[in-house]
Amino acid sequence: MKIAVINGTEIKGCTYNIKEKFLEILRDGNQIREFYLPKDLPHFCCGCKNCFLKVSSFALTQSMLYLSGTLF
């Protein structure tokens, strides 16, 4: 299975550690590709957080669907 993980920050805090525990189970036999915003996808994210403050959930979902076709 192909799995894309998009991390909203490069900070390795609680969410990072929970994600790592979750991925431990999935690593064997799966192709996992991780991205860290905004470093790995600067054309999609500049770190301004407007996606949470101003953009509708529909627009955000559409953007994620577009990216899912370009990740692998």
Side-chain angles (χ1 to χ4, degrees):
M1 177 184 335
K2 292 181 179 180
I3 300 169
V5 178
I6 301 175
N7 298 283
T9 180
E10 293 184 60
I11 297 171
K12 295 181 178 172
C14 294
T15 305
Y16 172 85
N17 290 317
I18 292 168
K19 175 209 52 142
E20 286 299 310
K21 291 288 185 189
F22 183 74
L23 289 179
E24 279 179 18
I25 300 166
L26 299 173
R27 290 205 195 278
D28 291 335
N30 294 307
Q31 179 184 355
I32 299 174
R33 188 163 177 199
E34 292 192 62
F35 298 91
Y36 289 88
L37 298 179
K39 180 186 76 165
D40 294 328
L41 297 168
H43 60 283
F44 177 72
C45 175
C46 65
C48 68
K49 298 183 182 165
N50 275 330
C51 57
F52 293 102
L53 302 174
K54 297 181 182 179
V55 178
S56 71
S57 62
F58 175 76
L60 185 58
T61 301
Q62 292 300 97
S63 297
M64 296 306 287
L65 287 173
Y66 168 77
L67 277 177
S68 69
T70 63
L71 296 179
F72 289 98

